[in-house]
Amino acid sequence: MSFPHRVTLAFTGASGAQYGLRLLQCLLAANAEVFVILSKAARVVIGTETDLRLPAGTGAAETALREYAAVKTGRLVVCGLEQWTAPVASGSGAPASMVVCPCSTGTLSAIACGASNNLIERAADVAIKEKRQLILVPREAPFSAIHLENMLKLARLGVTIMPAAPGFYHQPKSVDDLVDFIVARLLDHLGIPQTLLPRWGESPGD
């Protein structure tokens, strides 16, 4: 079965698990094939910030994420952090797009120096070397000079840096509205139609 979009979605230990989980839900709703990679710290953060508890094992995690997203469409594949045979580890098999959401500054640093010590870092390295789309969503405050230098280095390589800093011109009424602001921008960059919020200058329903 072919899918209109194939995306690698990595979760790391930065705060902001809700952004990644909402993006996963929207990607599946758009009938995308999503390869999910979870760092050990990401599992802790997800359990802290949401009511989702991810079991060990890729198959069980797939089931839990699918149930949490409550979406029956799309294909969800959870890859192990050291699963070097996963498609995302090779330029010949990796999706055209990758999003790290949320992206810790530690992962940002590792990607910037090409560490490739785990599958998240390797998949990002593949995206850069193959000149494919890579979007990082850092959630940290304040940014140190080290963080900013790493972002500048990656931006010069074509990586999109999209901090989890929602706008307010859509007059958000809830935390979910703030999450949707960032997710809508991510979907726009991925070329996936979204109706989460109108773009600047548009009214709802345009």
Side-chain angles (χ1 to χ4, degrees), residues 49-122:
E49 297 186 341
T50 76
D51 58 3
L52 174 61
R53 302 295 181 269
L54 289 173
T58 56
E62 285 174 13
T63 299
L65 285 170
R66 171 73 73 177
E67 291 176 351
Y68 188 87
V71 177
K72 296 182 178 180
T73 55
R75 180 175 183 240
L76 171 60
V77 179
V78 174
C79 303
L81 197 56
E82 295 184 353
Q83 187 180 335
W84 305 113
T85 58
V88 301
S90 172
S92 64
S97 299
M98 178 176 180
V99 183
V100 184
C101 180
C103 181
S104 68
T105 53
T107 297
L108 181 82
S109 173
I111 294 172
C113 69
S116 294
N117 287 321
N118 58 48
L119 191 60
I120 294 175
E121 296 168 14
R122 170 58 185 170

Side-chain angles (χ1 to χ4, degrees), residues 18-205:
Q18 295 89 340
Y19 292 110
L21 292 171
R22 178 62 165 147
L23 177 59
L24 174 63
Q25 183 183 47
C26 292
L27 290 173
L28 292 174
N31 198 36
E33 181 178 33
V34 188
F35 295 88
V36 171
I37 318 171
L38 300 143
S39 73
K40 293 178 181 179
R43 288 175 174 268
V44 174
V45 171
I46 289 172
T48 300
E49 297 186 341
T50 76
D51 58 3
L52 174 61
R53 302 295 181 269
L54 289 173
T58 56
E62 285 174 13
T63 299
L65 285 170
R66 171 73 73 177
E67 291 176 351
Y68 188 87
V71 177
K72 296 182 178 180
T73 55
R75 180 175 183 240
L76 171 60
V77 179
V78 174
C79 303
L81 197 56
E82 295 184 353
Q83 187 180 335
W84 305 113
T85 58
V88 301
S90 172
S92 64
S97 299
M98 178 176 180
V99 183
V100 184
C101 180
C103 181
S104 68
T105 53
T107 297
L108 181 82
S109 173
I111 294 172
C113 69
S116 294
N117 287 321
N118 58 48
L119 191 60
I120 294 175
E121 296 168 14
R122 170 58 185 170
D125 190 55
V126 166
I128 293 171
K129 79 181 183 69
E130 299 290 334
K131 301 188 185 305
R132 294 176 181 168
Q133 184 179 39
L134 175 58
I135 305 174
L136 307 182
V137 185
R139 213 304 311 161
E140 185 62 90
F143 290 126
S144 73
I146 296 172
H147 305 150
L148 295 170
E149 287 173 355
N150 285 331
M151 290 181 204
L152 178 59
K153 179 179 180 179
L154 289 168
R156 285 174 170 165
L157 293 172
V159 177
T160 298
I161 307 296
M162 190 180 298
F168 289 82
Y169 60 77
H170 61 307
Q171 299 182 353
K173 303 296 191 299
S174 66
V175 172
D176 288 343
D177 290 342
L178 295 174
V179 171
D180 279 355
F181 182 96
I182 296 300
V183 173
R185 296 291 288 129
L186 289 167
L187 293 170
D188 284 343
H189 276 258
L190 291 169
I192 298 176
Q194 59 86 15
T195 58
L196 297 179
L197 80 161
R199 296 174 181 83
W200 179 255
E202 294 180 346
S203 59

